[in-house]
């Protein structure tokens, strides 16, 4: 199964934010709230990752609720691909 | 109107998903009122087993998957043999959901629909066929949810099944007229294994929006189920909501 590495997921996250007029900071501890990155932005990112890998990434919401920072998003999507 | 014209109180009640949570509460409540109760779930818990032992002769429990048609039919036959014709059914067994629709796998969508909608429709069909064949009257209570009436994220398929059960309840009530009373009890969120997925922030939010200031407890739902099964109320095809007024 094809997987995306952290830096590619980061690029895609940057694209999602740019489409909202934002920019992705280098600091992975940046809070998502301060970037205006909301749950549907996360869905959009996950679906973009799916598009590139050709594999569906389904997951429950409780895991999502623990995501607070840029680093959490990257970790979550990396872990999900590895699962 | 004489008592003979009314649907009598249920005397043998079958409860699906009676092993824990609300189902267990309903089983205990009905046994405590002297009703004969049969209950099943995929796993019989020690709590359900203890209730059955305490009320030997009036209780029957077994491990049955509600989606397994053969197993359900065989359990209903056993109940008939040991306790009598089922004249009360509580469709309580269900599985929850906590995932956005776009991130819920097609298999998961199908399995929620099978457990929460197809299975209770088929169990209802089976019980009503047995009842009518025996020339009897009866009562059915479908446990739905506030999610059938109000939108909550993460519960799309679950809400669809509960809304469908409420729609089916109205249609069945029209079909079965004065032979079988069919109603729903729709609880708001209560603490159980099913709602354990809700975060504390979400639960706090629900409590804040609830006029009575507390989440519904299973022992506040059981009396409504009991009333619909045992009292003469002329309630037919309705949804009784118990959510502390959160949805008003
Ligand atoms: N909790 C809430 O906030 C809430 C709110 C509104 C409405 N409700 C409704 O209330 C009812 C009871 O929910 P609860 O919170 O008490 O849930 P729960 O604690 O998860 O209990 C569900 C029961 O259903 C059984 N069950 C699940 N799948 C089954 C299957 N395939 N075959 C047979 N039994 C099955 C479970 O036993 P096994 O797993 O061993 O099979 C268990 O006995 C459900 O209809 C639910 O939709 C719940």
């Amino acid at each position: 199964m094809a997987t995306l590495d952290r830096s590619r997921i980061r690029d895609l996250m940057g694209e999602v934010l740019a489409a909202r007029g934002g920019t992705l900071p280098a600091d992975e501890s940046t809070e998502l709230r301060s970037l205006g990155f909301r749950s549907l932005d996360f869905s959009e990112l996950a679906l973009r990752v799916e598009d590139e890998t050709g594999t569906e990434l389904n997951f429950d919401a409780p895991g999502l609720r623990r995501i607070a920072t840029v680093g959490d998003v990257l970790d979550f999507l990396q872990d999900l691909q590895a699962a | 109107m004489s008592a003979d014209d009314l649907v009598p109180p249920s005397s043998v009640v079958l409860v699906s998903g009676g092993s824990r949570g609300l189902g267990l509460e309903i089983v205990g409540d009905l046994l405590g009122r002297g009703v004969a109760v049969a209950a099943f779930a995929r796993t019989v818990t020690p709590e359900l087993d203890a209730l059955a032992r305490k009320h030997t002769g009036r209780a029957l429990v077994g491990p049955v998957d509600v989606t397994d048609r053969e197993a359900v039919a065989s359990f209903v036959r056993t109940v008939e043999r040991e306790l009598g014709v089922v004249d009360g059914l509580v469709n309580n067994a269900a599985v929850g959901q906590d995932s956005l629709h776009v991130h819920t796998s097609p298999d998961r969508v199908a399995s929620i629909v099978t457990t929460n909608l197809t299975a209770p429709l088929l169990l209802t069909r089976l019980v009503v066929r047995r009842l009518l064949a025996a020339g009897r009257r009866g009562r059915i209570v479908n446990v739905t949810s506030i999610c059938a009436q109000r939108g909550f994220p993460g519960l799309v398929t679950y809400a669809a099944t509960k809304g469908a059960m409420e729609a089916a309840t109205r249609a069945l009530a029209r079909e079965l007229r004065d032979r079988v009373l069919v109603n729903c009890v729709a609880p708001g969120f209560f603490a159980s294994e099913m709602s354990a997925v809700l975060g504390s922030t979400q639960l706090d939010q629900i409590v804040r929006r609830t006029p009575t200031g507390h989440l519904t407890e299973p022992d506040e739902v059981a009396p409504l189920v009991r009333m619909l099964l045992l009292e003469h109320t002329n309630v037919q095809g309705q949804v009784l909501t118990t959510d502390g007024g959160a949805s008003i």
Side-chain angles (χ1 to χ4, degrees):
Chain A
M1 183 182 93
T3 55
L4 298 193
D5 63 17
R6 195 170 183 90
S7 93
R8 181 64 194 140
I9 301 172
R10 213 175 188 301
D11 292 345
L12 292 175
M13 188 173 179
E15 287 174 20
V16 171
L17 269 169
R20 312 264 174 286
T23 36
L24 183 61
D27 182 1
E28 287 200 359
S29 65
T30 308
E31 294 278 334
L32 296 174
R33 203 174 308 166
S34 70
L35 298 174
F37 191 86
R38 300 167 63 92
S39 67
L40 283 182
D41 297 321
F42 183 87
S43 285
E44 182 177 333
L45 175 58
L47 294 171
R48 282 182 186 225
V49 171
E50 285 188 5
D51 269 353
E52 291 213 358
T53 59
T55 310
E56 279 203 16
L57 299 173
N58 293 305
F59 48 88
D60 286 346
L64 273 188
R65 285 197 274 275
R66 287 193 289 276
I67 289 175
T69 66
V70 171
D72 291 343
V73 170
L74 303 178
D75 288 346
F76 188 89
L77 288 171
Q78 276 197 297
D79 291 350
L80 202 57
Q81 292 183 90
Chain B
M1 169 125 333
S2 81
D4 291 347
D5 298 323
L6 300 173
V7 178
S10 299
S11 54
V12 179
V13 177
L14 175 60
V15 181
S16 72
S19 65
R20 58 169 192 264
L22 177 58
L24 183 67
E25 182 71 33
I26 292 169
V27 170
D29 182 73
L30 292 171
L31 284 170
R33 304 282 155 162
V35 178
V37 180
F40 67 83
R42 284 166 300 185
T43 307
V44 173
T45 54
E47 293 81 4
L48 181 60
D49 198 42
L51 271 178
R53 282 171 199 277
K54 187 173 162 199
H55 299 275
T56 308
R58 208 154 48 74
L60 183 73
V61 301
V64 176
D65 185 333
V66 75
T67 66
D68 180 342
R69 269 188 245 175
E70 292 284 310
V72 169
S74 150
F75 187 70
V76 169
R77 276 196 299 273
T78 309
V79 176
E80 245 178 52
R81 211 170 41 243
E82 299 202 6
L83 301 177
V85 175
V86 174
D87 59 359
L89 169 64
V90 182
N91 279 310
N92 167 79
V95 288
Q97 181 187 7
D98 190 16
S99 53
L100 297 180
H101 194 48
V102 288
H103 302 304
T104 308
S105 74
D107 285 350
R108 179 72 186 142
V109 169
S111 114
I112 296 170
V113 171
T114 303
T115 304
N116 294 9
L117 179 58
T118 311
L121 287 179
L122 293 181
L123 178 56
T124 298
R125 178 180 180 276
L126 176 65
V127 166
V128 172
R129 283 167 64 90
R130 306 296 304 159
L131 255 184
L132 295 182
R136 301 275 300 277
R137 296 176 180 207
R139 304 182 183 209
I140 297 171
V141 179
N142 295 318
V143 178
T144 58
S145 164
I146 194 59
C147 299
Q149 303 158 48
R150 294 283 182 273
F152 294 91
L155 288 162
V156 169
T157 304
Y158 176 82
T161 62
K162 294 298 182 177
M165 284 305 292
E166 293 190 356
T169 296
R170 288 183 283 272
L172 260 177
R174 285 274 179 204
E175 280 187 9
L176 297 170
R177 302 166 61 93
D178 61 345
R179 291 289 293 272
V180 184
L181 299 176
V182 194
N183 292 288
C184 299
V185 169
F189 292 98
F190 56 84
S192 75
E193 203 159 294
M194 186 177 285
S195 58
V197 289
L198 289 176
S200 60
T201 332
Q202 281 173 300
L203 288 177
D204 288 349
Q205 229 172 38
I206 296 168
V207 171
R208 268 201 306 280
R209 278 195 248 125
T210 302
T212 60
H214 73 276
L215 295 179
T216 301
E217 300 281 343
D219 65 2
E220 295 172 310
V221 183
L224 290 176
V225 174
R226 183 206 316 145
M227 177 189 78
L228 291 170
L229 290 171
L230 304 183
E231 303 296 333
H232 289 299
T233 57
N234 206 23
V235 175
Q236 173 68 310
Q238 300 299 315
V239 178
L240 303 187
T241 301
T242 165
D243 69 343
S247 59
I248 54 176

